[in-house]
Amino acid sequence: GLRGLHKDNIVDNPRLDTACRSLSYAVAKSVNPVMGKLALKYLNAKRLKRWAERYGFNKTIPFELPMRPSTAAVPSDRLELARVSAGFWHTELSPLHGALIASVAANKGLMRWPSVVREVVKADGSVETPAPTQGERVLSRQAARHLAQMMVRTTTMGTARKAFNTRRGRPLLGGMKVGGKTGSLSRNDPFLSYSWFVGFAPAQNPKVAFAVLLGNPAKWRIKAHTAARMLLSRYVDNLKKAEKKQRKLALRQAASPSPPL
């Protein structure tokens, strides 16, 4: 099994089970049966639901704008438990929440709640800047580091490799590595193929976390991971322009004559 997850994928069969893949490989390549079988070995429905709620499912996420909660109903049936562990059915997720989940790996295991308010200007003209949220501990620092490394493999050798590299393997974003996770689901009436990509960048020192969700008809041009790379490319260009402007300003100030004492 690879993309789907069926009953025979979670049944041990010594005659067929001749390959062993790691969780890291499964995350990068989206090998769902590996994630499903590992979940059945180490988790149960109660424990998986508890972890989902640590990530913000089944609760209202603090935000200045109304936001419908993401839901996770974890069944006890073995096949359905394996499926929900690999991302199939029984859950609903908003793109904003997807970005928050990706940010946990980038923030060394902390979930920081989102905000769109930069400052508040009061009637008297005074300005108040809201304090940034401290964040809630979801993963240990070590677990978050391992997860981030797995997500980087998605863009270097996994399901998003072609979106972030040329055919010859040259990174399209230069030296900036990206961590991410792809996902795909579809509906039939009307047909839409949904592609997900959540991630963070730069992987070496994360500054942004993001989520892209695209619903494509039967005839499509790009998937979510390609759209994410295009957005990050614009982000890199804007950073370069800001740095160039800062250098020019520094040179101009250095060349200005010092005022007399």
Side-chain angles (χ1 to χ4, degrees), residues 112-125:
R112 288 193 171 93
W113 302 123
S115 176
V116 293
V117 177
R118 179 179 298 169
E119 61 184 24
V120 178
V121 181
K122 299 182 178 180
D124 61 1

Side-chain angles (χ1 to χ4, degrees), residues 25-75:
Y25 182 92
V27 169
K29 291 283 191 179
S30 288
V31 186
N32 296 302
V34 172
M35 290 182 272
K37 290 190 75 172
L38 286 173
L40 292 176
K41 185 174 181 179
Y42 294 104
L43 299 173
N44 55 36
K46 184 177 180 180
R47 192 175 184 189
L48 183 59
K49 184 181 179 183
R50 187 167 70 246
W51 272 99
E53 290 174 350
R54 288 183 68 167
Y55 271 96
F57 283 88
N58 300 332
K59 62 176 68 174
T60 300
I61 291 177
F63 193 44
E64 293 95 349
L65 302 175
M67 180 177 169
R68 195 172 79 177
S70 299
T71 59
V74 183

Side-chain angles (χ1 to χ4, degrees), residues 93-104 111 196 198-199 209-212:
L93 176 68
S94 69
L96 177 57
H97 193 186
L100 291 178
I101 290 174
S103 75
V104 171
M111 172 84 82
W196 277 89
V198 303
F210 54 85
V212 177

Side-chain angles (χ1 to χ4, degrees), residues 12 23 42 52 62 83 100 102 106 122-124 147 183 201 207 217:
D12 290 336
L23 176 60
Y42 294 104
R83 282 174 167 168
L100 291 178
K122 299 182 178 180
D124 61 1
L147 178 58
K207 299 295 183 183

Side-chain angles (χ1 to χ4, degrees), residues 5-259:
L5 188 55
H6 306 285
K7 189 173 182 179
D8 58 345
N9 296 142
I10 62 173
V11 176
D12 290 336
N13 187 332
R15 185 174 62 85
L16 298 177
D17 297 341
T18 58
C20 181
R21 295 295 188 185
S22 67
L23 176 60
S24 179
Y25 182 92
V27 169
K29 291 283 191 179
S30 288
V31 186
N32 296 302
V34 172
M35 290 182 272
K37 290 190 75 172
L38 286 173
L40 292 176
K41 185 174 181 179
Y42 294 104
L43 299 173
N44 55 36
K46 184 177 180 180
R47 192 175 184 189
L48 183 59
K49 184 181 179 183
R50 187 167 70 246
W51 272 99
E53 290 174 350
R54 288 183 68 167
Y55 271 96
F57 283 88
N58 300 332
K59 62 176 68 174
T60 300
I61 291 177
F63 193 44
E64 293 95 349
L65 302 175
M67 180 177 169
R68 195 172 79 177
S70 299
T71 59
V74 183
S76 56
D77 176 82
R78 280 179 57 81
L79 177 57
E80 296 308 306
L81 176 59
R83 282 174 167 168
V84 74
S85 300
F88 290 104
W89 304 311
H90 309 295
T91 60
E92 290 185 347
L93 176 68
S94 69
L96 177 57
H97 193 186
L100 291 178
I101 290 174
S103 75
V104 171
N107 287 333
K108 298 181 175 64
L110 292 176
M111 172 84 82
R112 288 193 171 93
W113 302 123
S115 176
V116 293
V117 177
R118 179 179 298 169
E119 61 184 24
V120 178
V121 181
K122 299 182 178 180
D124 61 1
S126 62
V127 177
E128 181 178 322
T129 302
T133 58
Q134 295 299 312
E136 297 182 10
R137 173 66 59 187
V138 176
L139 291 176
S140 68
R141 285 175 171 265
Q142 183 180 21
R145 185 174 69 252
H146 287 313
L147 178 58
Q149 291 169 348
M150 293 182 193
M151 293 173 71
V152 170
R153 295 190 72 192
T154 300
T155 63
T156 57
M157 53 77 68
T159 48
R161 179 182 59 84
K162 291 182 180 179
F164 287 86
N165 300 273
T166 66
R167 290 184 178 182
R168 294 186 177 183
R170 182 177 62 83
L172 291 170
L173 294 177
M176 187 176 79
K177 290 186 177 182
V178 179
K181 181 71 184 78
T182 59
S184 58
L185 293 168
S186 63
R187 74 177 189 189
N188 293 321
D189 189 21
F191 176 81
L192 275 180
S193 175
Y194 292 105
S195 62
W196 277 89
F197 190 76
V198 303
F200 56 88
Q204 307 92 317
N205 183 24
K207 299 295 183 183
V208 292
F210 54 85
V212 177
L213 171 62
L214 293 183
N216 284 312
K219 190 174 182 180
W220 55 272
R221 295 181 62 186
I222 63 172
K223 290 188 176 181
H225 46 271
T226 301
R229 189 256 301 155
M230 295 166 68
L231 290 171
L232 287 172
S233 180
R234 179 66 62 88
Y235 171 73
V236 171
D237 289 343
N238 288 340
L239 283 181
K240 289 180 179 178
K241 289 178 181 178
E243 290 174 357
K244 186 177 181 180
K245 185 177 180 180
Q246 193 66 30
R247 285 197 300 269
K248 283 185 176 180
L249 180 61
L251 289 172
R252 191 178 300 121
Q253 291 175 342
S256 299
S258 300

